[in-house]
Amino acid sequence: MKKKNYRSYQLALVGLLLLLQYSCAICTDTRTARGNVIPKKFKDWYVTKAEDLYPKDLIDTTAIYYLYYPDTNFGPMYFFKRFFADGKLYSSTGLDSLNNEVANNMVNGYTGYYLIKDGELIIKTYDYAYCGFYIIQWAKIFEDRIVVYKATTYSSSRPDYYPDISNSEEVNIVYYKLDVGELYSQPDW
């Protein structure tokens, strides 16, 4: 009887290991040296060259845009987005302060791309939680801030999905522009 029980445990363990291996293969993410997950390439909807960014003066690529939550479970937290002239975007995780060092480190955050279309900003960020999903945000750009007014999420299994504003929910998120000094680091994805 003990041999039979032992055999059942062996089979259960092998089955569990196979299941674990299979599930990890489905959710593999490629990470950069900074720990950022490389999002799947998007097709034809984001800026690919700096000269295609039009109008050029809407997004300030020499500053960051931050959001402040004074009361979270972990205390006050800052979050920021950094836009690059080639259409790439870095979005930080929660930080206790903002300065030049964290703006240039860009470690363990969220990566993505953006597009300016008819004066409106469309942001597509990749979040690697739960095997990955994309967050799409629609925003208006002002001189000193970006106001996100619509947002939606969808599965990472559809990376070329063009965002549809009609299926998104209304939000009111304001990112304020902040000059933190020279921004010299570049995206590693």
Side-chain angles (χ1 to χ4, degrees), residues 127-139:
D127 188 326
Y128 44 86
Y130 309 110
C131 292
F133 63 93
Y134 291 97
I135 302 167
I136 308 295
Q137 297 175 319
W138 288 265

Side-chain angles (χ1 to χ4, degrees), residues 151-167:
T152 191
T153 62
Y154 69 91
S155 166
S156 66
S157 64
R158 300 169 51 197
D160 292 332
Y161 172 73
Y162 192 85
D164 183 8
I165 196 167
S166 65
N167 294 330

Side-chain angles (χ1 to χ4, degrees), residues 82-95:
R82 185 169 162 204
F83 297 88
F84 297 89
D86 64 355
K88 292 180 180 177
L89 161 78
Y90 172 80
S91 187
S92 76
T93 54
L95 303 164

Side-chain angles (χ1 to χ4, degrees), residues 112-129:
Y113 300 91
Y114 70 96
L115 169 71
I116 299 174
K117 187 174 182 180
D118 300 326
E120 183 173 68
L121 175 65
I122 304 172
I123 301 168
K124 190 173 189 178
T125 309
Y126 181 70
D127 188 326
Y128 44 86

